[in-house]
């Protein structure tokens, strides 16, 4: 197997950093100093929303993980164990997946306590634990797992008029038949050869992606069609980012009209809390939320009903947003009745987490829900990137209607409607949230 | 065996009452059935043996032998040997052959208050087996050892000497050996007797005790301390405890020329001034001859004394507490506890009777697990173990109701023993069994304070121990990861020689030991126990 020079270089660099960092730990130990790993804190409180860059970034807080701290000792051991496994994989020219690493490191430590009783303990029990350790090593070393040639199961797919080189093969993404190209775990090793497209459409739902693919949407509208199949993984996000950054294509994100859909959009655009250290590489800051928006379902008149509540939050500024479109709903009254789904309490809670309790409390009129939210979410501050007039307007309809909608509903109205009316109209009129 | 030289003090002996009342008395004295009789006989002789030694400054060597004395019948021969002050040969027949002849009718703390028990035992033995009692004795200053074989003439309450003899001492022996045969029930008395001797051994760490059973077992409790408890002194009665009978006796036997002199010399705490005021209150001329006082005048005097508020507290010189050192040594000898502490309270008094409370607590080691209600109790009154009626004893009430053990970090059931010793010239026993102490307010309070004092020290110990255990647990939770950390580091540093690994491990052990304060070998022990499975 020929190993590409890109891989070789990445390996060498990762090995060097690994060796250097852990040699200093060993040195500390030999000097009789406390063995500690100093790394940025990967927690919500140390995640900063950079208003200017519109990115979620890792804050400046550092944590000291010490072997001598009872609460950290296990994690210390896990971190070193994981580092040694990664090290061995790098040396042996392997491409382990995160699941491989989980299995390679999972074993039993048996020991006797002071009274001589035998105990058994697993190095880690679930993959969740070892995955978190991998993320710790990424921030500790300042090296991403892709750079350490660690793979993961990726679910992103892409089709369109795009020719790429992956490894030693040139692949034409317009010749995938009914299938699609599975975005590889190391998208940085992809080379863009040729492109004939005007925009990128990212669809949350795999099923809708397949429908649009078969319908020939990407051919007709010169689009690159991508699905993240739910929460986007790192490779999909990096791939989208490269399309935006290197090929200067506009990115449109189409998700369900519910708090989960909104959050997926924000992960593409500004990053996620768990992977905030990667936002600079993964986030696509000019990605636009094209739908399905609440005004697409209910029209602007629904916003007008909430105008006083919104004004109490934003003052005069709110008027600009409303007068801009004055648009009608894409769905008729009858269609709405058929397609919309009643929001569950869990959905409402998630929406409160996005905009914050103070805003949500002003927008919810249903007294029962209001009371429930008060019990559950009082004091929740919300994410700053959702506390904008545009998003609050969107979410105000959700709170007043307590309804959500899946993209499939738009396809049910007719695939033709979705592909030829809804999406093109939204793009043409600039009816999106940025 | 080092026998201490001891001077035999002059004891006073007196016959005070006829013998026949034994028939009424034997139930009270605990000779109601063969099992009880055997147990009681052992007790009486052991207690006499201890009184003959430790009260006179002699480190006791006591040997108790119980053997089957008849092939067909349940006859047992009980022999108790001590190295005490012995008896003058001329009093031996009276001392063992006449009921109510005793050296104990004086006011000081002794084990057997009445000195009756031994004679009741002898009578019981004689009645059930017809066999005589044998006594061998010698005093330290005597050159001969005396031997008696006696029987009691019940009707006349007189000793009958069957055999007597003496021989020259060829070694410096003194003490008494009493041997008697009685109908008993070893299998039913066994547990009681063993318990009794064990509990006696707990408070006599200064004694060598050998106990041989009819089953051929030998129990040996070896002396662990050379310190004896302070011997009790004879004291005059305190006026608080006076009654008309006592006053009459003092009057009838007194050779004082005036009433005032009689008061001053017969009681503790009465000086010139107090005597004058008492007689004034009673309306008695201080210069009268005591013999001339009428019973009515005596009653006036008794009342005056009872109502007088300014007496000094009764002296505790008559009391012989065990002392903290003895209690601790005793508990250690039997239970080898990880914690033992004791306290002897200052003397106190109830109704004019002085008393001292002592408490010892043993925790851990071979201390058996207590019940989940309260700690195991060892109760003593005047150094005698109280084995029965625990439920109605004042100490039981204290440990159950007055002390919250949680507060002292004791989680019941626990390996904890609480020893309570009450010494007094008058122990307020409950009922005739003399196995439990009545709930007297002053005594209860003293017991409570004493237990609290020792329990506080236990709490200090336990909290330190808990912290130590926490620390050890903490060390285990760190040290168990050392081998994995070393392994991982050597893989990354990759010299593969094993030298580096050894050095890293040593250093990590040192760091963990330094940071936690636990010795290196303890940390190493954990590290060495680790196995990394795959």
């Amino acid at each position: 197997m020929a190993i590409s020079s890109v891989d070789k270089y990445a390996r060498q660099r990762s090995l060097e950093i690994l060796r250097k960092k852990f040699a200093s730990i060993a040195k500390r130990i030999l000097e009789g100093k406390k063995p500690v790993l100093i790394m940025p804190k990967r927690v919500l409180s140390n995640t900063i929303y950079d208003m200017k860059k519109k990115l979620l970034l890792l804050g400046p807080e550092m944590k000291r993980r010490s072997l001598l701290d009872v609460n950290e000792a296990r994690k210390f051991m896990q971190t070193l164990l994981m580092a040694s496994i990664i090290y061995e994989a790098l040396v042996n020219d392997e491409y382990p997946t995160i699941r491989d690493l989980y299995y390679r490191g999972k074993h039993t430590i048996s020991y006797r306590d002071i009274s001589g009783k035998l105990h058994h303990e697993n190095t880690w029990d679930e993959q969740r634990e070892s995955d978190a350790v991998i993320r710790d090593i990424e921030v500790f070393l300042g090296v991403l797992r892709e750079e350490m040639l660690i793979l993961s199961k990726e679910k992103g797919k892409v089709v369109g008029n795009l020719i790429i080189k992956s490894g030693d093969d040139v692949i034409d993404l317009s010749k995938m038949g009914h299938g699609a190209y599975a975005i590889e775990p190391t998208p940085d090793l992809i080379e863009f050869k040729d492109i004939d497209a005007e925009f990128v459409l990212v669809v949350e739902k795999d099923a809708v992606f397949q429908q649009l693919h078969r319908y020939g949407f990407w051919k007709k509208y010169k689009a690159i069609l991508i699905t993240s199949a739910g929460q986007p993984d790192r490779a999909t996000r990096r791939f989208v980012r490269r399309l935006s950054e290197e090929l200067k294509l506009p990115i449109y994100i189409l998700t369900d009209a519910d708090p989960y859909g909104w959050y997926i959009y924000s992960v593409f655009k500004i990053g996620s809390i768990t992977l905030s250290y990667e936002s600079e590489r993964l986030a696509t800051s000019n990605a636009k939320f094209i739908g399905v928006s609440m005004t697409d379902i209910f029209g602007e008149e629904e916003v007008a009903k909430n105008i006083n509540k919104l004004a109490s939050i934003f003052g005069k500024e709110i008027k600009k947003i409303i007068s801009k479109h004055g648009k009608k709903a894409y769905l008729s009254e009858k269609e709405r009745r058929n397609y919309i789904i009643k929001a569950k309490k869990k959905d409402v809670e998630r929406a409160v987490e996005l905009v914050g309790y103070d805003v949500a409390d002003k927008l919810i009129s249903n007294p029962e829900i209001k009371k429930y939210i008060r019990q559950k979410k009082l004091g929740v501050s919300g994410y700053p990137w959702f506390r904008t007039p545009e998003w609050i307007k969107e979410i105000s309809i959700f709170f007043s209607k307590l309804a959500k909608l899946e993209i499939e509903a738009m396809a049910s109205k007719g695939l033709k409607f979705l592909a030829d009316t809804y999406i093109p109209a939204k793009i043409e009129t600039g009816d999106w949230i940025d | 065996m080092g026998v201490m030289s001891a001077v035999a003090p002059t004891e006073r002996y007196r016959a005070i009452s006829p013998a026949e009342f034994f028939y009424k008395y034997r139930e009270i004295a605990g000779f109601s059935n063969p099992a009880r009789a055997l147990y009681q006989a052992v007790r009486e002789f052991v207690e006499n043996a201890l009184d003959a030694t430790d009260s006179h400054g002699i480190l006791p060597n006591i040997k108790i032998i119980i053997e089957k004395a008849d092939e067909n019948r349940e006859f047992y021969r009980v022999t108790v040997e001590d190295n005490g002050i012995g008896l003058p040969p001329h009093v031996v027949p009276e001392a063992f052959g006449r009921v109510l002849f005793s050296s104990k009718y004086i006011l000081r703390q002794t084990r057997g208050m009445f000195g009756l028990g031994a004679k009741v035992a002898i009578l019981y033995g004689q009645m059930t087996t017809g066999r005589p009692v044998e006594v061998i004795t010698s005093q330290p200053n005597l050159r001969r050892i005396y031997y008696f074989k006696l029987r009691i003439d019940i009707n006349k309450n007189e000793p009958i000497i069957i055999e007597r003899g003496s021989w020259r001492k060829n070694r410096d022996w003194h003490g008494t050996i009493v041997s008697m045969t009685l109908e008993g029930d070893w299998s039913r008395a066994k547990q009681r007797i063993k318990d009794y001797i064990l509990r006696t051994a707990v408070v006599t760490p200064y004694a060598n005790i050998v106990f041989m059973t009819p089953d051929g077992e030998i129990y040996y409790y070896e002396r662990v301390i050379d310190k004896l408890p302070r011997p009790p002194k004879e004291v005059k009665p305190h006026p608080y405890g006076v009654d008309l009978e006592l006053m009459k006796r003092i009057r009838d036997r007194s050779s004082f020329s005036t009433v005032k002199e009689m008061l001053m010399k017969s009681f503790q705490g009465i000086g010139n001034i107090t005597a004058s005021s008492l007689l004034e209150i009673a309306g008695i001329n201080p210069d009268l001859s005591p013999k001339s006082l009428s019973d009515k005048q005596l009653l006036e005097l008794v009342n005056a004394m009872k109502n007088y508020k300014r007496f000094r507290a009764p002296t505790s010189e008559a009391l012989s507490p065990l002392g903290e050192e003895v209690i601790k040594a005793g508990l250690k000898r039997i239970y080898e506890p990880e914690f033992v502490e004791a306290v002897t309270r200052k003397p106190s008094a109830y109704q004019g009777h002085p008393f001292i409370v002592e408490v010892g607590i043993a925790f851990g080691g071979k201390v058996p697990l207590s019940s989940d209600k309260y700690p195991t109790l060892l109760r003593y009154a005047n150094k005698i173990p109280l084995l029965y009626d625990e439920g109605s004893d004042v100490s039981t009430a204290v440990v159950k109701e007055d002390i919250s053990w949680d507060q002292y970090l004791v989680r019941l059931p626990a390996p904890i023993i609480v020893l309570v010793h009450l010494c007094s010239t008058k122990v307020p026993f409950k009922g005739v069994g003399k196995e439990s102490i009545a709930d007297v307010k002053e005594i209860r309070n003293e017991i409570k304070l004493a237990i609290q004092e020792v329990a506080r020290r236990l709490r200090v110990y336990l909290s330190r121990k808990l912290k130590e255990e926490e620390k050890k647990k903490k060390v285990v939770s760190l040290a168990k990861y050392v081998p994995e950390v070393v392994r991982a580091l050597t893989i990354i540093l990759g010299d593969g020689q094993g030298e580096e690994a050894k050095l890293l491990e040593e250093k990590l052990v040192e760091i963990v030991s330094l940071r936690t304060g636990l010795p290196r070998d303890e940390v190493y022990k954990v590290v060495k126990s680790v196995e990394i499975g795959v």
Side-chain angles (χ1 to χ4, degrees), chain A residues 67 70 107-108 110 112 121, chain B residues 474 480-481 484 529 531 533:
Chain A
L67 177 64
V70 179
H107 55 245
T108 307
S110 67
R112 288 181 189 279
E121 182 179 321
Chain B
K474 185 186 158 185
K480 65 184 174 186
Y481 297 132
E484 186 71 63
S529 81
E531 273 178 46

Side-chain angles (χ1 to χ4, degrees), chain B residues 440-507:
Chain B
V440 175
K441 203 181 98 202
E442 292 89 340
I443 293 175
R444 181 168 181 158
N445 194 45
E446 277 295 305
I447 293 174
K448 184 177 122 185
L449 291 172
I451 293 178
Q452 283 173 337
E453 191 177 333
V454 186
R456 273 196 295 275
R457 290 183 226 165
L458 175 63
R459 182 178 56 196
V460 169
Y461 168 79
L462 288 177
S463 92
R464 205 173 292 151
K465 188 182 163 191
L466 270 170
K467 268 190 210 140
E468 197 61 28
E469 273 170 10
E470 279 305 308
K471 195 158 88 184
K472 284 183 179 176
K473 263 190 213 156
K474 185 186 158 185
V475 169
V476 171
S477 65
L478 307 178
K480 65 184 174 186
Y481 297 132
V482 165
E484 186 71 63
V485 166
V486 168
R487 200 183 64 99
L489 274 176
T490 29
I491 286 173
I492 297 169
L493 303 178
D495 73 337
Q497 295 300 306
E499 277 301 306
E500 187 98 38
K502 229 180 120 192
L503 204 60
L504 277 170
E505 187 174 270
E506 271 171 26
K507 272 288 173 189

Side-chain angles (χ1 to χ4, degrees), chain B residues 39 45 58 80 93 95 135 162 177 183 272 276-277 313 327 373 387-388 394 412-413 416 424 443 502 529:
Chain B
Y39 161 71
F45 291 120
I58 300 168
V80 176
V135 180
I162 300 169
I177 304 170
E183 190 189 331
N272 191 9
S276 301
S277 3
I327 295 176
K373 304 277 189 305
L387 270 70
Y388 299 100
V394 60
L412 298 166
I416 181 172
S424 177
I443 293 175
K502 229 180 120 192
S529 81

